[in-house]
Amino acid sequence: MKTNYYKLSGEETLTKLGSSLDGLSQKEVAKRQQEYGANVLAAKKKTTLLQKFIAQFKDLMIVILMAAALVAMIAGEVSDSLIIFLVVILNAVFGVFQEAKAENAIDALQEMTTPYSRVRRDGVVQQVKSADLVPGDIVLLEAGDIVPADVRLLSANSLKIEEAALTGESVPVEKDIATLSEENPPLGEQHNLGFMNTNVTYGTAEAVVTSIGMNTQVGHIATMLENVDKAATPLQKNITHLSKVLTILILVIATVIFVFGVMTQRESVLDMLLTSISLAVAAIPEGLPAIVTITLALGTQTMAKRNALVRKLPAVETLGTTEIIASDKTGTLTQNKMTVEKLYQDGQLQSAAQFSASPANRLTQIMILANDSQETPDGLVGDPTETALIQYYLDNKFDVKAIQDFFPRQASLPFDSERKLMSAIVKDDKGQLYLLTKGAVDELLRRVTQIDENGQVRAITTKDHDQILATNQQLAHEALRVLGYAYRPLTSMSEALTSENYEKDLIFVGLTGMIDPQRPEVKDAVSEAKSAGIRPLMITGDHKDTAKAIAVRLGIIEANDDEGVITGRQLDELSDEQLKKDVAKYSVYARVAPEHKVRIVKAWQSHGKIVAMTGDGVNDAPALKTADIGVGMGITGTEVSKNAADIVLADDNFATIILAVKEGRKVFANIQKAIQYLLSANLGEVLTLFMMTVMNWSIFAPVQILWINLVTDTFPAIALGVEKEERNIMQKKPRGSQSNFLSNGVGSSIIYQGILEGLLTLGVYLFALKFPFHHSDALIHADALTMAYATLGVLQLCHAFNCKSIHGTIFTKEIFNNKFFNLAVLISGILLAMTIFVPSFNGIFHVSHLAWQQWMIVLAAGALLIVIVEIVKFFQRRYLYKD
């Protein structure tokens, strides 16, 4: 049974763990190391490169292509078979390369472990490897240390620990040793405990190790990561669905052809088998997996240029389906940097930009001098609240060092969590001593007897008290962290340096309000997300008021929307079923733990929503893996969150997520265009071959089908993958989890456009037979087959332009905006024409030379296809698919 050490006193904890303040004996340590193992996180078993390579061939489409390649080889089409094999292997190699780049999230957690710790064993302080710690060890902590295991504090002197990576709390937590009586308090409120891999920012402490390795809070997260089942992405689901549809279609076509041929005794059973197999091979868009992979890869390059680094290829497309973006607040929506926002002095509340700082201003002096921050070559070091005060003046080009030199510090009273104050005693150039104090407003006012107003000191009144408290409350409602400032002149330092002797009869000077401010670009990004039909959520470990204030500023919720905010404690009171039912009510989640984040993501997913989760802390990792798309932060993010994510933002910029969503939508649209193009083209080929077989006409040679598939299919399809996004792409609602590549009229377009291509090809074939240019029966049929071959190729090149927009007209100024597409069509056209125009190729491709009149008929068929499709699109836009 788990022990809640926060409910036990230090003495009770030591007794429970069989330890003492002198620490464990070396013999006991060795015994416990055998019992508990090392203080490390369990590593997940890795797959080998060979296993990763083999896994690439489990995809249904790949299996179909492999079978088709074998069939083609049996049928004698060795070149066709080799090309299919090459595409499949290249696709597998690319997949392995992507997987090999992704480090394991558990490894990252393990790397975070502190290498050495100071412990007391046998009454002697010594340094040992953190991996060798056992429950019961006495650990000594000071500012700059990383807590090496979960611990119960035994003594704490002005101790503050930054737990942002674990709890999401944006400022360091003040720690003490008082026993808690509350049941299941949030991690951020367990003030007498320290957690593995959190950072000591201030003070010193002694603590006893309560849990190590996988039994720590970080270990708990590691376990959650291992147990998360990553659902198939929408892209993977769509490809699987499409593969099944094609498999059925291909089997039906092959069976019908085979049965028809055998029943009519047109050819032998073996010949009909080879004919039906050839048709099946023609029906498979063997370039589809490669085109999808290439389109996704090009999408990753574009996103990388926009600071979104893709770790898993399908994530590019998945982000485009996003309906919910659940974002961590600290460091993602905000800057993770406390900043002075408002100052109150002389009865006036001013913004930080309006405040007039000067060396003679008493508030300025106290902010700078009652401060333990240190300036280093790498920046300011110290408590984030104190560094924010100094940074405010540095940002305003203020000579901080000059004031510090003018008022050298003589002594100080460090901050402690009971009195919530800190003071510095300084001396000016005339030898006058001053006590400068800052801290919690209510505690400060208890020690104040006078007020400094416009340079005049007078007795403080009840009215002054009320105004100061009202201002404090106003700033607190705006989620600002408020500090009060006061001072008093000293005649000497003869008394003992205690709070009772010095922090009394103070003169009140002013207040400052600080906040971890929102990133300036985020508000517009939130607005754009909403216009794109995406619902942004804020999930944070911060207090409810702070979370709501930031959410209101960003436009995530309205100021009067109190029901839209829920805390982790309230979440605990909701069953999973109740949360699923009510989840749409909430846009802001405050004071949440890692388990809450996973519950929130799953609750939205239960409604069929595609959820993107952003985050930068260890605590975000399980939710990042659970979400359909995990987005990690590249700068402030822990290695754990980066490795659990599908996409990492190199600039930690929330606005980059929206750019990535736009890119994801574009990638899906382009894959959809390529699929529409390929399948309608292949349907046209199959229909043509089917009718030629049924009508007992001459049939295309395998090399002709292969050339059309290679030249007019592949190049334009790849080029469609780099089309620019359509102008209204971010005004459309998200596709959602139920959409697929055949949605939004694409399936019906494939059918009618494929039939149209087949009919036009057969029509040209019949026209050539009815109105021949030669008298020889052999030449007439050779011309007809050549014209049909040329027509099928030209139709596909013309149809590539149709597919630049699924429902939009191609007759816009953007028709030639894709240089790669223009080049692909041109090269494909030249390669197709060469087989007819170059005499030495005529025999290889079984074609004859065509007259210019015959070419005009071929080109007219291509133009007719464009006209008919444009007419259909016009009615689709008008009546069916209005944007």
mmCIF file of all heavy atoms in Angstrom, residues 276-310:
data_model
loop_
_atom_site.group_PDB
_atom_site.id
_atom_site.type_symbol
_atom_site.label_atom_id
_atom_site.label_comp_id
_atom_site.label_asym_id
_atom_site.label_seq_id
_atom_site.Cartn_x
_atom_site.Cartn_y
_atom_site.Cartn_z
ATOM 1 N N SER A 276 -6.094 -11.250 -67.180
ATOM 2 C CA SER A 276 -6.769 -10.692 -65.996
ATOM 3 C C SER A 276 -5.745 -10.179 -64.984
ATOM 4 O O SER A 276 -5.966 -9.152 -64.321
ATOM 5 C CB SER A 276 -7.676 -11.749 -65.355
ATOM 6 O OG SER A 276 -6.934 -12.865 -64.927
ATOM 7 N N ILE A 277 -4.588 -10.878 -64.877
ATOM 8 C CA ILE A 277 -3.533 -10.414 -63.971
ATOM 9 C C ILE A 277 -2.955 -9.086 -64.461
ATOM 10 O O ILE A 277 -2.702 -8.170 -63.674
ATOM 11 C CB ILE A 277 -2.411 -11.482 -63.848
ATOM 12 C CG1 ILE A 277 -2.926 -12.662 -63.004
ATOM 13 C CG2 ILE A 277 -1.144 -10.896 -63.238
ATOM 14 C CD1 ILE A 277 -1.997 -13.848 -62.980
ATOM 15 N N SER A 278 -2.781 -8.958 -65.767
ATOM 16 C CA SER A 278 -2.262 -7.705 -66.340
ATOM 17 C C SER A 278 -3.209 -6.545 -66.035
ATOM 18 O O SER A 278 -2.781 -5.426 -65.718
ATOM 19 C CB SER A 278 -2.081 -7.847 -67.853
ATOM 20 O OG SER A 278 -1.136 -8.849 -68.138
ATOM 21 N N LEU A 279 -4.505 -6.817 -66.128
ATOM 22 C CA LEU A 279 -5.496 -5.789 -65.789
ATOM 23 C C LEU A 279 -5.385 -5.391 -64.320
ATOM 24 O O LEU A 279 -5.468 -4.200 -63.974
ATOM 25 C CB LEU A 279 -6.903 -6.318 -66.069
ATOM 26 C CG LEU A 279 -7.445 -6.131 -67.488
ATOM 27 C CD1 LEU A 279 -8.750 -6.880 -67.630
ATOM 28 C CD2 LEU A 279 -7.657 -4.658 -67.787
ATOM 29 N N ALA A 280 -5.211 -6.399 -63.460
ATOM 30 C CA ALA A 280 -5.106 -6.113 -62.029
ATOM 31 C C ALA A 280 -3.878 -5.259 -61.732
ATOM 32 O O ALA A 280 -3.927 -4.306 -60.942
ATOM 33 C CB ALA A 280 -5.040 -7.411 -61.239
ATOM 34 N N VAL A 281 -2.766 -5.598 -62.405
ATOM 35 C CA VAL A 281 -1.546 -4.811 -62.224
ATOM 36 C C VAL A 281 -1.762 -3.374 -62.679
ATOM 37 O O VAL A 281 -1.329 -2.415 -62.036
ATOM 38 C CB VAL A 281 -0.365 -5.460 -62.987
ATOM 39 C CG1 VAL A 281 0.850 -4.534 -62.980
ATOM 40 C CG2 VAL A 281 -0.012 -6.795 -62.360
ATOM 41 N N ALA A 282 -2.471 -3.204 -63.790
ATOM 42 C CA ALA A 282 -2.747 -1.858 -64.296
ATOM 43 C C ALA A 282 -3.626 -1.073 -63.329
ATOM 44 O O ALA A 282 -3.544 0.146 -63.239
ATOM 45 C CB ALA A 282 -3.421 -1.950 -65.661
ATOM 46 N N ALA A 283 -4.480 -1.797 -62.591
ATOM 47 C CA ALA A 283 -5.421 -1.120 -61.697
ATOM 48 C C ALA A 283 -4.766 -0.605 -60.429
ATOM 49 O O ALA A 283 -5.279 0.284 -59.764
ATOM 50 C CB ALA A 283 -6.564 -2.077 -61.330
ATOM 51 N N ILE A 284 -3.618 -1.189 -60.076
ATOM 52 C CA ILE A 284 -2.965 -0.784 -58.828
ATOM 53 C C ILE A 284 -2.133 0.475 -59.051
ATOM 54 O O ILE A 284 -1.245 0.484 -59.905
ATOM 55 C CB ILE A 284 -2.052 -1.912 -58.295
ATOM 56 C CG1 ILE A 284 -2.896 -3.123 -57.892
ATOM 57 C CG2 ILE A 284 -1.236 -1.424 -57.098
ATOM 58 C CD1 ILE A 284 -2.088 -4.291 -57.434
ATOM 59 N N PRO A 285 -2.385 1.521 -58.306
ATOM 60 C CA PRO A 285 -1.542 2.720 -58.405
ATOM 61 C C PRO A 285 -0.242 2.498 -57.636
ATOM 62 O O PRO A 285 -0.106 2.898 -56.485
ATOM 63 C CB PRO A 285 -2.409 3.815 -57.760
ATOM 64 C CG PRO A 285 -3.265 3.093 -56.776
ATOM 65 C CD PRO A 285 -3.474 1.709 -57.326
ATOM 66 N N GLU A 286 0.710 1.821 -58.292
ATOM 67 C CA GLU A 286 1.911 1.410 -57.567
ATOM 68 C C GLU A 286 2.720 2.587 -57.031
ATOM 69 O O GLU A 286 3.522 2.446 -56.115
ATOM 70 C CB GLU A 286 2.808 0.519 -58.452
ATOM 71 C CG GLU A 286 3.263 1.165 -59.744
ATOM 72 C CD GLU A 286 2.281 0.909 -60.880
ATOM 73 O OE1 GLU A 286 1.179 0.418 -60.621
ATOM 74 O OE2 GLU A 286 2.634 1.223 -62.021
ATOM 75 N N GLY A 287 2.507 3.761 -57.593
ATOM 76 C CA GLY A 287 3.242 4.924 -57.107
ATOM 77 C C GLY A 287 2.625 5.586 -55.895
ATOM 78 O O GLY A 287 3.211 6.493 -55.318
ATOM 79 N N LEU A 288 1.420 5.120 -55.475
ATOM 80 C CA LEU A 288 0.694 5.824 -54.408
ATOM 81 C C LEU A 288 1.467 5.902 -53.090
ATOM 82 O O LEU A 288 1.608 6.998 -52.531
ATOM 83 C CB LEU A 288 -0.677 5.174 -54.198
ATOM 84 C CG LEU A 288 -1.554 5.816 -53.123
ATOM 85 C CD1 LEU A 288 -1.793 7.286 -53.430
ATOM 86 C CD2 LEU A 288 -2.895 5.078 -53.017
ATOM 87 N N PRO A 289 1.991 4.786 -52.541
ATOM 88 C CA PRO A 289 2.738 4.910 -51.285
ATOM 89 C C PRO A 289 3.931 5.859 -51.402
ATOM 90 O O PRO A 289 4.210 6.638 -50.499
ATOM 91 C CB PRO A 289 3.204 3.482 -50.993
ATOM 92 C CG PRO A 289 2.238 2.613 -51.730
ATOM 93 C CD PRO A 289 1.898 3.375 -52.975
ATOM 94 N N ALA A 290 4.628 5.770 -52.550
ATOM 95 C CA ALA A 290 5.778 6.657 -52.737
ATOM 96 C C ALA A 290 5.333 8.110 -52.808
ATOM 97 O O ALA A 290 5.969 9.000 -52.228
ATOM 98 C CB ALA A 290 6.532 6.270 -54.002
ATOM 99 N N ILE A 291 4.239 8.353 -53.497
ATOM 100 C CA ILE A 291 3.745 9.733 -53.646
ATOM 101 C C ILE A 291 3.287 10.278 -52.301
ATOM 102 O O ILE A 291 3.553 11.435 -51.953
ATOM 103 C CB ILE A 291 2.612 9.783 -54.692
ATOM 104 C CG1 ILE A 291 3.207 9.589 -56.095
ATOM 105 C CG2 ILE A 291 1.842 11.103 -54.609
ATOM 106 C CD1 ILE A 291 2.213 9.265 -57.161
ATOM 107 N N VAL A 292 2.588 9.437 -51.522
ATOM 108 C CA VAL A 292 2.159 9.867 -50.182
ATOM 109 C C VAL A 292 3.372 10.198 -49.325
ATOM 110 O O VAL A 292 3.431 11.237 -48.669
ATOM 111 C CB VAL A 292 1.302 8.769 -49.505
ATOM 112 C CG1 VAL A 292 1.079 9.097 -48.036
ATOM 113 C CG2 VAL A 292 -0.038 8.634 -50.213
ATOM 114 N N THR A 293 4.384 9.308 -49.371
ATOM 115 C CA THR A 293 5.597 9.521 -48.574
ATOM 116 C C THR A 293 6.329 10.780 -49.020
ATOM 117 O O THR A 293 6.778 11.582 -48.197
ATOM 118 C CB THR A 293 6.538 8.305 -48.695
ATOM 119 O OG1 THR A 293 5.852 7.139 -48.257
ATOM 120 C CG2 THR A 293 7.789 8.497 -47.861
ATOM 121 N N ILE A 294 6.463 10.962 -50.342
ATOM 122 C CA ILE A 294 7.161 12.141 -50.869
ATOM 123 C C ILE A 294 6.414 13.413 -50.489
ATOM 124 O O ILE A 294 7.020 14.405 -50.062
ATOM 125 C CB ILE A 294 7.311 12.031 -52.405
ATOM 126 C CG1 ILE A 294 8.323 10.931 -52.747
ATOM 127 C CG2 ILE A 294 7.770 13.365 -52.996
ATOM 128 C CD1 ILE A 294 8.331 10.537 -54.210
ATOM 129 N N THR A 295 5.083 13.389 -50.610
ATOM 130 C CA THR A 295 4.280 14.567 -50.257
ATOM 131 C C THR A 295 4.445 14.912 -48.784
ATOM 132 O O THR A 295 4.607 16.077 -48.411
ATOM 133 C CB THR A 295 2.791 14.323 -50.579
ATOM 134 O OG1 THR A 295 2.660 13.981 -51.956
ATOM 135 C CG2 THR A 295 1.963 15.564 -50.291
ATOM 136 N N LEU A 296 4.417 13.882 -47.930
ATOM 137 C CA LEU A 296 4.617 14.112 -46.501
ATOM 138 C C LEU A 296 6.026 14.633 -46.219
ATOM 139 O O LEU A 296 6.217 15.540 -45.401
ATOM 140 C CB LEU A 296 4.382 12.816 -45.726
ATOM 141 C CG LEU A 296 2.930 12.325 -45.647
ATOM 142 C CD1 LEU A 296 2.887 10.942 -45.023
ATOM 143 C CD2 LEU A 296 2.082 13.284 -44.843
ATOM 144 N N ALA A 297 7.026 14.048 -46.915
ATOM 145 C CA ALA A 297 8.404 14.473 -46.705
ATOM 146 C C ALA A 297 8.598 15.932 -47.116
ATOM 147 O O ALA A 297 9.273 16.701 -46.426
ATOM 148 C CB ALA A 297 9.356 13.567 -47.487
ATOM 149 N N LEU A 298 8.003 16.316 -48.243
ATOM 150 C CA LEU A 298 8.084 17.710 -48.677
ATOM 151 C C LEU A 298 7.369 18.618 -47.684
ATOM 152 O O LEU A 298 7.804 19.744 -47.417
ATOM 153 C CB LEU A 298 7.477 17.864 -50.079
ATOM 154 C CG LEU A 298 8.254 17.178 -51.217
ATOM 155 C CD1 LEU A 298 7.463 17.226 -52.506
ATOM 156 C CD2 LEU A 298 9.620 17.829 -51.403
ATOM 157 N N GLY A 299 6.264 18.110 -47.112
ATOM 158 C CA GLY A 299 5.555 18.872 -46.081
ATOM 159 C C GLY A 299 6.425 19.089 -44.858
ATOM 160 O O GLY A 299 6.431 20.169 -44.262
ATOM 161 N N THR A 300 7.223 18.057 -44.493
ATOM 162 C CA THR A 300 8.109 18.192 -43.330
ATOM 163 C C THR A 300 9.179 19.248 -43.585
ATOM 164 O O THR A 300 9.546 20.002 -42.677
ATOM 165 C CB THR A 300 8.805 16.864 -42.978
ATOM 166 O OG1 THR A 300 9.682 16.475 -44.026
ATOM 167 C CG2 THR A 300 7.807 15.773 -42.724
ATOM 168 N N GLN A 301 9.664 19.325 -44.821
ATOM 169 C CA GLN A 301 10.676 20.326 -45.155
ATOM 170 C C GLN A 301 10.101 21.734 -45.045
ATOM 171 O O GLN A 301 10.736 22.645 -44.502
ATOM 172 C CB GLN A 301 11.223 20.080 -46.563
ATOM 173 C CG GLN A 301 12.067 18.824 -46.685
ATOM 174 C CD GLN A 301 12.579 18.604 -48.090
ATOM 175 O OE1 GLN A 301 12.544 19.503 -48.929
ATOM 176 N NE2 GLN A 301 13.061 17.403 -48.356
ATOM 177 N N THR A 302 8.883 21.901 -45.567
ATOM 178 C CA THR A 302 8.234 23.209 -45.485
ATOM 179 C C THR A 302 8.007 23.604 -44.035
ATOM 180 O O THR A 302 8.243 24.748 -43.636
ATOM 181 C CB THR A 302 6.879 23.182 -46.228
ATOM 182 O OG1 THR A 302 7.107 22.797 -47.579
ATOM 183 C CG2 THR A 302 6.206 24.539 -46.190
ATOM 184 N N MET A 303 7.549 22.645 -43.220
ATOM 185 C CA MET A 303 7.290 22.927 -41.811
ATOM 186 C C MET A 303 8.589 23.209 -41.059
ATOM 187 O O MET A 303 8.614 24.047 -40.150
ATOM 188 C CB MET A 303 6.527 21.769 -41.180
ATOM 189 C CG MET A 303 5.109 21.652 -41.710
ATOM 190 S SD MET A 303 4.251 20.165 -41.151
ATOM 191 C CE MET A 303 3.870 20.616 -39.475
ATOM 192 N N ALA A 304 9.671 22.531 -41.438
ATOM 193 C CA ALA A 304 10.959 22.778 -40.787
ATOM 194 C C ALA A 304 11.410 24.216 -41.022
ATOM 195 O O ALA A 304 11.960 24.866 -40.127
ATOM 196 C CB ALA A 304 12.008 21.798 -41.300
ATOM 197 N N LYS A 305 11.154 24.715 -42.229
ATOM 198 C CA LYS A 305 11.505 26.116 -42.531
ATOM 199 C C LYS A 305 10.683 27.077 -41.676
ATOM 200 O O LYS A 305 11.089 28.217 -41.443
ATOM 201 C CB LYS A 305 11.268 26.404 -44.016
ATOM 202 C CG LYS A 305 12.239 25.672 -44.936
ATOM 203 C CD LYS A 305 11.866 25.888 -46.390
ATOM 204 C CE LYS A 305 12.784 25.074 -47.317
ATOM 205 N NZ LYS A 305 12.362 25.164 -48.733
ATOM 206 N N ARG A 306 9.516 26.615 -41.229
ATOM 207 C CA ARG A 306 8.653 27.449 -40.381
ATOM 208 C C ARG A 306 8.785 27.063 -38.909
ATOM 209 O O ARG A 306 7.902 27.317 -38.106
ATOM 210 C CB ARG A 306 7.196 27.298 -40.844
ATOM 211 C CG ARG A 306 6.975 27.803 -42.270
ATOM 212 C CD ARG A 306 5.521 27.659 -42.694
ATOM 213 N NE ARG A 306 5.313 28.189 -44.028
ATOM 214 C CZ ARG A 306 4.132 28.272 -44.624
ATOM 215 N NH1 ARG A 306 3.044 27.843 -43.986
ATOM 216 N NH2 ARG A 306 3.999 28.765 -45.831
ATOM 217 N N ASN A 307 9.882 26.383 -38.579
ATOM 218 C CA ASN A 307 10.237 26.051 -37.193
ATOM 219 C C ASN A 307 9.395 24.948 -36.567
ATOM 220 O O ASN A 307 9.351 24.827 -35.347
ATOM 221 C CB ASN A 307 10.179 27.297 -36.298
ATOM 222 C CG ASN A 307 11.246 28.303 -36.669
ATOM 223 O OD1 ASN A 307 12.401 27.955 -36.814
ATOM 224 N ND2 ASN A 307 10.849 29.552 -36.837
ATOM 225 N N ALA A 308 8.737 24.131 -37.372
ATOM 226 C CA ALA A 308 8.014 22.963 -36.852
ATOM 227 C C ALA A 308 8.741 21.713 -37.354
ATOM 228 O O ALA A 308 8.724 21.416 -38.548
ATOM 229 C CB ALA A 308 6.570 22.967 -37.327
ATOM 230 N N LEU A 309 9.396 21.016 -36.436
ATOM 231 C CA LEU A 309 10.211 19.857 -36.801
ATOM 232 C C LEU A 309 9.412 18.575 -36.628
ATOM 233 O O LEU A 309 8.977 18.249 -35.523
ATOM 234 C CB LEU A 309 11.472 19.819 -35.928
ATOM 235 C CG LEU A 309 12.262 21.138 -35.851
ATOM 236 C CD1 LEU A 309 13.438 20.994 -34.895
ATOM 237 C CD2 LEU A 309 12.734 21.575 -37.222
ATOM 238 N N VAL A 310 9.232 17.858 -37.702
ATOM 239 C CA VAL A 310 8.391 16.663 -37.694
ATOM 240 C C VAL A 310 9.230 15.426 -37.393
ATOM 241 O O VAL A 310 10.229 15.163 -38.051
ATOM 242 C CB VAL A 310 7.679 16.489 -39.050
ATOM 243 C CG1 VAL A 310 6.854 15.218 -39.057
ATOM 244 C CG2 VAL A 310 6.807 17.696 -39.343
#
